[in-house]
Amino acid sequence: MQPDINNSSFFDVYQSLFNFNHDGCYALDKDGNFILFNKAAIEITGYPLDEALGMNFVSIVHEDFLEETIGHFKRVVNGERERFETVIKRKETGEQVNLLLTVVPIKVGDEILGVVGCAQDISVNKRLEAMLSGKNRILKMMAKGASFQEVLDEIVFFVESFTSSAHCSILIADQEGKRLMHGSSPNLPPAYHSAVDGLPIGEYAGSCGRAAFIKESVVVTDTEADPLWEDYRDIALSYHLKACWSSPVFDDDHKVIGTLNIYYCRVSSPLENDREIIEQATNLTSLVIQHYEAKKKIDFMAYHDALTSLPNRRLFDERAQKAIAETKVEDGEKLCLMFLDLDRFKFVNDSLGHSIGDRLLVEVSDKFKQILDKGTLFSRQGGDEFTILLEHTTKEQAQDMARVILETLEEPIVIDGTDIFISTSIGMSFYPEDGEDAEMLLRKADVAMYQAKKQGRNNFQAYDVMLDARAYEEMQIENDLRKALERDEFVLHYQPIVNLCKHEIKGAEALIRWENERIGMVPPDQFIPIAEETGLIIPIGEWVLKTALVQLKKWHANGMKDLTMSVNLSIRQFYQPNLISMIREALGLAGVEPHFLTIEITESMTMDVEKASVILRELKKLGVSISIDDFGTGYSSLSYLKRFTIDHLKIDRSFVRDIAENKSDENIATTIILMAHNLGISVIAEGVETESQLNLLKRHRCNEAQGYHFSRPVPAEEFTRIKVPSL
Ligand code: C2E
Ligand code: CA
Ligand code: CA
């Protein structure tokens, strides 16, 4: 008769459920001894049936979970149903197995005889869970900015938590990929650090060096026997490292960037689970190393100049600030901040191109690096500006250093076979006298550097308060001056030039005035030099000329038909390439004949005799008159004036001032007048303030005169009202 499911006994059904269950099924008596143990239970625990039966569950539960598990057991024996997780140790290997247990009492009538349970092996899930949370923990640490060391250590702990009684270490490959450096091994003896630090990467360099070399995992199950460990055996054994498995850590380009190593104190080879965890850990390590490498680069870039790799302004400020704080002023310690700016670098850049300019900057910074002590803070501020911080120094030492720096640039720098001569201007400021913080010292060194530029470049200057105040004022004036023309802040005043024979006004000298909102009335002596230096004199001078000629035209129209106009020219204007055409245009615009215009120049402008002769000749050709201003204060002699075609000489005010009281001044004046007349040049006396001066000049047949005696320079509308005092 075929067995029929409907006829089968209760017992058969439950026995099948028990025997063939995927989960481990077991029963315990009231004392906790196994009385039933299915096949799955045998597989999970590793205990054969005969050994399991009669054994107490206490002996297989992991110590850490024992108390809790016994508690559950007791409650079930008291009639409860329990579902809980626990951990047992497998027979022999001691490997941990995570179980989810469902346990119920065995009840016969009202009496409880024992417990029956179902054990689901959840080790795989547990592992995966633990791995995931371990990985997450490490990633989170990274994201939160934990240090490289902390994160590496965490990987090691992570690996160790999955491998029973193993020690893990991480080694990092150096830049050249030649050696392994100690990375992390928190649970290995400290002597291990130094033993592995600098381990060569090679075929026979222990398992670590070899794994990095052959780019594959190397498993040494017994370091005592393996020839690979020949050179390192003593060290390994002295630390009881009997087995070592090493795996290379790759970057995204499959370059070896480190190794992950697991050590055992017993002869041992990796199991499937170990391999899995090693794989996870090496991937993590790869991610971590690369992340921190990238971070290091970014950090470096944030604090260094990309072109020269020198510290940048930010790092300089931070370090300088620190150095200042550490300077013992009370012991007389000093600190020098040098500000260097290459001379005419812009010219190199513009003429030879930016890539040569860049290379020059690198070469120059290398040269400086060579002469500076290794610890000296040297930075590129940007462009062609560098800063150096000299600690524990004196003024003399700093100056010596500045000299050495200037000297190193005496030799040309050769780029692509071309000799490039470059020099630098250096400004120096000192702590504590010139400033309290890095910012102030930097500003002052910058000011001093400008002074060095002004001194003709290729030199050094220490900060000086007086120079600074002047420089600051000049800078302010320069700023205002730039806007003065468009704001219409200039006016011309006119001073009469009187013909001493006819005793009448022969001409006017145009003198510029600047009325600024902030500074008020600025005398020309104060702003003309700045305008000259900045080049602003060109547009300003053009405005003067045009305005003066338009005014002259008006006066001509109002009956002062023979009036001439004298206009001062500065040296920059004198040498401006389009001077002649500019004057011609101004004359044309105003509708004034050229012979009514007198150009006043000074002796110093004619130093370059060749060039000056050409310009003066052109001016003469144009038809304007030429006057030598401030005569006597320059170096030139009258005879030299023969070379130029000059119409007038203006005897400088300083000779006229004492002419009536001082015989030698009188002599100079009379000599000038005589010799000028001999050369056919007419003479104008400047700064005539008194009648006695005037009389004396007239006696010596001076042709014309100008000065407060007749009139101060006045606005145009007042000029026509000037009366020349009668004799
Ligand atoms: P400068 O060309 O020698 O002009 C004569 C200066 O002497 C004027 O000073 C004038 O006011 C002053 N002066 C005239 N008579 C007397 C006197 O009797 N006693 C004294 N103590 N001073 C007298 P100012 O106007 O202050 O001009 C100073 C200088 O500025 C000028 O010296 C000239 O070199 C320059 N300057 C003035 N206007 C211009 C201009 O439009 N262009 C250029 N390039 N320079 C100008
Ligand atoms: Ca003048
Ligand atoms: Ca003068």
Side-chain angles (χ1 to χ4, degrees), residues 411-571:
E411 290 276 298
I413 289 171
V414 188
I415 292 176
D416 287 348
T418 308
D419 280 357
I420 301 177
F421 285 92
I422 189 103
S423 60
T424 185
S425 298
I426 306 173
M428 299 189 283
S429 65
F430 290 89
Y431 175 78
E433 48 266 63
D434 294 332
E436 301 218 307
D437 54 24
E439 196 188 328
M440 184 58 86
L441 290 174
L442 197 67
R443 197 189 80 70
K444 302 232 164 136
D446 191 7
V447 169
M449 187 276 292
Y450 263 99
Q451 294 302 330
K453 291 257 181 212
K454 276 199 167 170
Q455 301 293 315
R457 305 185 170 94
N458 194 26
N459 75 105
F460 60 87
Q461 291 293 321
Y463 173 76
D464 178 331
V465 193
M466 297 300 290
L467 293 179
D468 189 8
R470 203 180 310 153
Y472 185 73
E473 181 57 27
E474 280 181 11
M475 199 189 73
Q476 288 278 1
I477 292 182
E478 183 186 326
N479 282 343
D480 290 328
L481 201 54
R482 286 190 188 283
K483 297 168 202 143
L485 260 187
E486 61 190 59
R487 289 188 188 161
D488 215 6
E489 293 178 343
F490 294 119
V491 282
L492 289 184
H493 283 189
Y494 301 91
Q495 189 177 36
I497 299 173
V498 177
N499 180 317
L500 295 184
C501 272
K502 298 184 185 160
H503 234 263
E504 60 183 35
I505 295 176
K506 174 246 171 191
E509 178 177 0
L511 293 159
I512 193 168
R513 300 289 177 261
W514 177 26
E515 171 88 66
N516 177 263
E517 229 186 348
R518 186 179 65 86
I519 8 185
M521 197 62 145
V522 192
D525 292 330
Q526 257 186 46
F527 70 86
I528 295 286
I530 299 172
E532 171 73 22
E533 199 174 299
T534 52
L536 287 168
I537 194 67
I538 302 291
I540 294 174
E542 193 171 335
W543 176 87
V544 169
L545 185 69
K546 285 183 175 161
T547 309
L549 288 175
V550 167
Q551 184 57 55
L552 182 66
K553 182 72 186 177
K554 278 187 198 156
W555 283 332
H556 281 176
N558 286 349
M560 304 168 84
K561 284 202 288 304
D562 299 323
L563 200 70
T564 60
M565 180 64 77
S566 294
V567 171
N568 295 284
L569 224 56
S570 82
I571 186 158

Side-chain angles (χ1 to χ4, degrees), residues 509-511 566-569 600-601 629-630 650 686 706:
E509 178 177 0
L511 293 159
S566 294
V567 171
N568 295 284
L569 224 56
E600 294 194 5
I601 61 169
D629 206 352
D630 305 340
K650 297 183 83 170
E686 283 191 307
Q706 199 182 339

